[in-house]
Amino acid sequence: MVQYFCYLMHLLLRLPVFEHQTLLTYWPSTPHAHRERSTADTMLPLRVPILAVLVTLSLCQYYDYDYQPNPVMGPSAPNCNQECDCPFHFPSAMYCDSRKLKFVPIVPTGIKYLYLQNNLIEEIKAGVFDNVTDTLRWLIIDNNQITNAKIAKGTIDKLTGLEKLFISFNNLTEPVIPPSKSLEELRIMNNKLSKFPSGLLTDKENLTAIHLQHNDLTSEAISGAFRGLKKLLSLDVSHNKLKKLPAGVPNSLVMLYADYNVIESIGAGYLNKLPALQYLRVSHNKLVDSGIPAGVFNVTSLLELDLSFNKLHSIPEVNEQLEQLYLQANEINKFDLSSFCKFMGPLNYSRLKHLRLDGNNVTHSSMPPDTANCLRQASDIMFE
């Protein structure tokens, strides 16, 4: 069902209301990774169209974009590389995926959407994109064997109109960034990135989503990577080697995922610099009480906060507007109501709906008598 949802959502996002013009035909395949919790379950407060954008970014981020079976597609258009298929009903797309290719074939004039995922590609030779340097919009080249040394000059670095670059599940040690100022989405997941030089994204004013999870990035390696971005909504740096949340992220950010790192502390005032941030995940890290400054999470924009699987002994102070709080698998031994409500009254109460405290040292009996008055909207408080 998630596959069909992703397919429909991506079609929806191509409609004019989202300022896209081309309706594409593609079909998501099996995800490469599994999230512990569906983002769709925790994003109800958002309004359309931002709901559609963010749910699709999060829920569908591990799905490849594939197409319907060949019998449905019909014969290829004449202007197509013989290694691939270019359906008559959509001649600007060239499908070269899952064909055991070792090289990127020459892309003919008129192709805007290029699918090369699930091959054995080791090298991108010079000249393959010469016919489409300013017209290619999508380059999907996930699940291959590409290294930086085998990407020739005059290939990706000449694509001035690219909007989406998906180059996950390869062997890159540093990012490959096209010169296009139209770039909207960048996915370099499951590579071997250990560096991300500052300045590579400075002119990417239309970039809204960056996925860098499952790499070898450190906090120092990405210290200046995100400066200059103006429209970034989603940043995922999970499964890396970060010791702190990324610096220099733009104030447009709505979703920040930094699960599975080695983060021990949150910088004082960090969230105050991100007035649009609604979803923050820092689970499976090394957070301790002394690394969380007083009130650091007490910001009005935040709707979801995931601090599960850390080493916290107390519940951190959160804002009354927070709706989802995940604290399972810590070492919490006290249920302090002041973490949720500084004052209680007809209009002073927490909007928290879901609270997870399982895997800690507190039980239902740990809740103070005034809990129902403070957490009056909580429909789910889990202790075990």
Side-chain angles (χ1 to χ4, degrees):
M1 290 302 293
V2 175
Q3 290 177 313
Y4 296 95
F5 169 80
C6 294
Y7 172 68
L8 293 173
M9 290 304 293
H10 280 290
L11 288 181
L12 175 63
L13 293 179
R14 301 300 298 178
L15 296 177
V17 67
F18 293 97
E19 299 182 351
H20 290 269
Q21 298 176 351
T22 305
L23 184 64
L24 302 185
T25 303
Y26 43 85
W27 202 260
S29 60
T30 305
H32 291 296
H34 171 70
R35 298 294 296 182
E36 292 185 2
R37 182 175 63 259
S38 170
T39 304
D41 294 337
T42 59
M43 301 181 73
L44 295 178
L46 286 179
R47 298 177 180 177
V48 176
I50 193 68
L51 171 63
V53 176
L54 294 180
V55 170
T56 303
L57 284 175
S58 184
L59 183 61
C60 306
Q61 64 181 309
Y62 294 108
Y63 283 77
D64 286 331
Y65 301 118
D66 211 338
Y67 59 94
Q68 297 180 12
N70 284 330
V72 178
M73 291 175 60
S76 281
N79 187 29
C80 191
N81 191 292
Q82 62 181 1
E83 300 276 3
C84 310
D85 291 311
C86 306
F88 271 105
H89 69 276
F90 190 42
S92 60
M94 188 164 84
Y95 298 100
C96 313
D97 62 302
S98 305
R99 295 160 197 254
K100 298 182 180 180
L101 301 180
K102 291 189 176 181
F103 307 102
V104 174
I106 293 176
V107 184
T109 302
I111 298 301
K112 295 181 179 180
Y113 307 98
L114 179 59
Y115 299 85
L116 288 160
Q117 70 269 26
N118 304 324
N119 279 293
L120 304 172
I121 296 172
E122 300 176 352
E123 185 174 1
I124 303 178
K125 295 183 178 181
V128 295
F129 298 134
D130 282 359
N131 297 319
V132 292
T133 55
D134 59 346
T135 57
L136 190 66
R137 297 290 180 260
W138 289 25
L139 175 56
I140 314 299
I141 196 166
D142 296 329
N143 238 358
N144 281 284
Q145 301 171 16
I146 301 169
T147 61
N148 292 89
K150 292 296 184 71
I151 300 177
K153 291 183 178 180
T155 54
I156 294 178
D157 60 336
K158 288 180 65 176
L159 299 177
T160 58
L162 206 63
E163 295 173 357
K164 295 181 186 292
L165 174 59
F166 296 179
I167 193 167
S168 300
F169 293 89
N170 280 284
N171 297 311
L172 302 180
T173 55
E174 57 184 290
V176 178
I177 308 296
S180 172
K181 294 184 179 181
S182 303
L183 191 66
E184 297 173 357
E185 188 170 1
L186 177 65
R187 300 189 185 187
I188 318 181
M189 306 177 294
N190 293 81
N191 275 271
K192 301 176 182 178
L193 299 185
S194 59
K195 61 178 71 174
F196 202 120
S198 60
L200 290 181
L201 303 177
T202 302
D203 63 342
K204 309 304 180 205
E205 55 187 29
N206 291 302
L207 193 58
T208 59
I210 301 175
H211 302 276
L212 298 173
Q213 55 267 43
H214 291 278
N215 280 290
D216 297 319
L217 294 168
T218 64
S219 296
E220 294 75 18
I222 62 171
S223 60
F226 312 115
R227 290 191 172 92
L229 299 176
K230 298 178 180 179
K231 297 182 180 179
L232 190 65
L233 297 176
S234 174
L235 174 61
D236 195 335
V237 289
S238 301
H239 293 272
N240 277 285
K241 299 177 180 179
L242 307 185
K243 292 185 177 180
K244 57 184 180 180
L245 292 176
V249 294
N251 59 15
S252 58
L253 201 64
V254 175
M255 301 167 60
L256 175 56
Y257 295 167
D259 306 303
Y260 291 93
N261 280 282
V262 288
I263 298 171
E264 297 179 350
S265 62
I266 308 294
Y270 184 88
L271 272 65
N272 292 330
K273 300 175 183 178
L274 301 174
L277 190 67
Q278 296 183 20
Y279 303 92
L280 176 61
R281 295 182 179 176
V282 202
S283 70
H284 294 271
N285 277 280
K286 297 184 178 181
L287 288 173
V288 295
D289 290 2
S290 60
I292 298 181
V296 69
F297 298 123
N298 189 357
V299 291
T300 58
S301 64
L302 209 58
L303 297 177
E304 176 186 304
L305 176 61
D306 190 346
L307 301 175
S308 60
F309 294 90
N310 279 285
K311 299 180 179 180
L312 302 178
H313 285 83
S314 60
I315 300 174
E317 176 187 345
V318 296
N319 193 267
E320 290 181 351
Q321 302 302 317
L322 190 72
E323 297 182 0
Q324 320 281 343
L325 179 58
Y326 302 94
L327 292 167
Q328 68 268 26
N330 276 277
E331 300 171 10
I332 295 170
N333 50 37
K334 181 182 179 182
F335 194 104
D336 191 344
L337 212 55
S338 64
S339 297
F340 309 100
C341 299
K342 290 298 182 184
F343 307 99
M344 282 179 281
L347 300 178
N348 299 109
Y349 58 90
S350 171
R351 274 64 177 177
L352 201 66
K353 297 178 180 179
H354 300 285
L355 172 61
R356 286 194 61 176
L357 285 166
D358 45 310
N360 284 284
N361 300 317
V362 289
T363 64
H364 281 92
S365 61
S366 305
M367 294 192 296
D370 286 340
T371 299
N373 194 21
C374 170
L375 302 178
R376 64 184 72 173
Q377 291 191 350
S379 59
D380 181 23
I381 301 179
M382 187 179 298
F383 286 97
E384 57 185 35

